[in-house]
Amino acid sequence: MIQASERADGMTLTGPVEVVGTGLLGTSVALACRRAGLEVLLTDASAEHVATAVELGAGRPRLPEDAPQLVVVAVPPSALGAVITDVLVATLEHGTVVTDVGSVKAAPLAGVLAGAPTQVHRYVGSHPMAGSERSGPSAGNASLFEGRPWAITPHADADVAAVELVEQLIKVCGAVPAWQTPAEHDRAVARISHVPHLMSALVAGRLSGAPDNHLALAGQGVRDVTRVAAGDPRLYGQIVGGNAAAVVELLTEVRGELDRLIEAVGSGDAAALDGILERGVDGTRAIPGKHGGPAVPMTSVWVTVSDRAGELARLLADAVASEVSVEDIRIDHDTSREAGLVELVVAQRRGEHLSDALESRGWTVQR
């Protein structure tokens, strides 16, 4: 069990912790805090959501006489500023520290500065870089944040003790604090999340209404590019809208690159096209590797696997027996037969060894 951290300097997180908004993130925070032995209070506009979170062991409903030490606001992006402000005003007597888990940080801070400027010192924004394709309290998981980066974004007027309390929350949840200013955070998530999502949506949009004989050729590549486009449009519209300035700045850069790409392809300028593609390769190499270390060159080993129970497990067991660490796995299903191609992503220097080992065990490897 993770215990609430003790600090000799500043404030110690002892609870109660109130979670406002018992969706996926809020309930996961609540479950992690309960795992650490902290008392957790639950608030949500939906009594049904609170009841579900209580059944999961995430805490109990907040009572009027409760005095939380820390409030975690986990509501939709468009409501963050107003809810944080309301909580700051309502907890003035107790000096409660308030944070949030929203995916944009400058807009909620601006809302607090407009609505409760004298209490802004008790607010410290944060944002866990974790999630799930599922939603609602039933998707809550105490381990959701384990080992994940969690941005902590103190502003110039934030109390040091308040910042320390939010840092302790992050560690109690098993995450790794990543320190940024609110503006820098918003530029970062625009680059690594918001604009990629929009690009994925544009590519996926070209598939809507496409002829069946075009879609019949779809493989893993287009699935990879369009996967995130399947997210909730209304939620992501709020997220992008709340970070409009940073997103528009990057989209403008992308538009310039797109114009250069159109010109290179249309004019047959192979050198210009190669340069754009090489820059893309450089970008993939810039993504941090496992455990935040330097990126390691990877390769894919493609194996034909029949669609029978136990075949995938047998393949993975044979990969383990080959003493090669599989870093990622994807499945490209064959639409014409009961089989598919399984892509095993491994360190480049181990790819040939894995291919040979699997072939020696009777697998068909695509060379």
Side-chain angles (χ1 to χ4, degrees):
M1 177 182 292
I2 299 173
Q3 298 296 330
S5 56
E6 296 290 334
R7 297 180 67 104
D9 56 332
M11 194 179 297
T12 300
L13 181 60
T14 57
V17 175
E18 179 184 359
V19 175
V20 179
T22 51
L24 166 67
L25 292 182
T27 301
S28 296
V29 170
L31 288 168
C33 289
R34 288 295 303 131
R35 181 183 62 183
L38 296 169
E39 182 181 12
V40 177
L41 317 173
L42 303 172
T43 302
D44 197 296
S46 168
E48 182 180 350
H49 278 192
V50 171
T52 300
V54 170
E55 289 176 4
L56 292 170
R60 64 170 176 83
R62 187 189 192 281
L63 301 174
E65 61 268 24
D66 285 324
Q69 180 192 25
L70 173 68
V71 174
V72 181
V73 178
V75 300
S78 62
L80 278 173
V83 173
I84 294 167
T85 298
D86 289 345
V87 171
L88 286 168
V89 172
T91 60
L92 176 62
E93 178 184 353
H94 305 293
T96 299
V97 173
V98 181
T99 189
D100 72 290
V101 293
S103 56
V104 293
K105 299 273 68 87
L109 176 59
V112 173
L113 287 170
T118 62
Q119 301 305 314
V120 72
H121 59 284
R122 294 193 284 123
Y123 167 65
V124 179
S126 73
H127 176 209
M129 302 302 294
S132 167
E133 70 280 1
R134 300 171 61 207
S135 61
S138 60
N141 182 350
S143 300
L144 182 67
F145 311 108
E146 291 286 346
R148 303 295 301 168
W150 186 320
I152 179 170
T153 60
H155 53 87
D157 297 320
D159 280 349
V160 172
V163 176
E164 289 181 348
L165 203 64
V166 175
E167 182 185 13
Q168 290 176 66
L169 170 72
I170 293 170
K171 292 179 178 179
V172 159
C173 290
V176 180
W179 297 81
Q180 294 178 323
T181 66
E184 184 62 28
H185 166 275
D186 287 358
R187 286 193 294 269
V189 293
R191 187 181 304 278
I192 59 95
S193 177
H194 301 168
V195 168
H197 188 109
L198 294 174
M199 294 297 98
S200 177
L202 289 178
V203 174
R206 298 301 87 211
L207 304 178
S208 178
D212 289 344
N213 63 337
H214 291 193
L215 298 175
L217 302 179
Q220 193 58 44
V222 73
R223 291 188 180 94
D224 288 344
V225 172
T226 59
R227 180 181 59 82
V228 297
D232 183 348
R234 283 179 290 186
L235 173 61
Y236 227 84
Q238 288 187 37
I239 291 171
V240 170
N243 198 22
V247 170
V248 167
E249 180 180 350
L250 279 172
L251 284 177
T252 302
E253 293 179 9
V254 172
R255 181 173 61 186
E257 287 291 301
L258 182 58
D259 286 340
R260 285 186 281 275
L261 178 59
I262 292 171
E263 174 62 26
V265 174
S267 66
D269 188 340
L273 178 57
D274 286 351
I276 292 170
L277 294 175
E278 284 291 343
R279 183 170 172 80
V281 172
D282 290 343
T284 64
R285 291 171 177 163
I287 299 172
K290 189 166 63 174
H291 309 313
V296 175
M298 307 300 283
T299 191
S300 294
V301 174
W302 294 89
V303 186
T304 301
V305 178
S306 63
D307 189 13
R308 293 198 304 265
E311 285 296 276
L312 182 58
R314 186 168 70 87
L315 172 62
L316 294 177
D318 285 346
V320 170
S322 72
E323 299 183 344
V324 175
S325 176
V326 177
E327 302 294 337
D328 201 356
I329 181 171
R330 305 181 186 94
I331 302 175
D332 189 4
H333 297 281
D334 193 326
T335 59
S336 62
R337 57 184 179 142
E338 293 185 353
L341 278 178
V342 174
E343 179 187 8
L344 303 176
V345 181
V346 300
Q348 192 173 73
R349 60 184 177 82
R350 300 290 283 163
E352 194 66 26
H353 173 78
L354 178 60
S355 296
D356 292 342
L358 292 177
E359 284 181 333
S360 72
R361 290 172 168 83
W363 294 100
T364 300
V365 176
Q366 306 294 317
R367 297 277 190 169

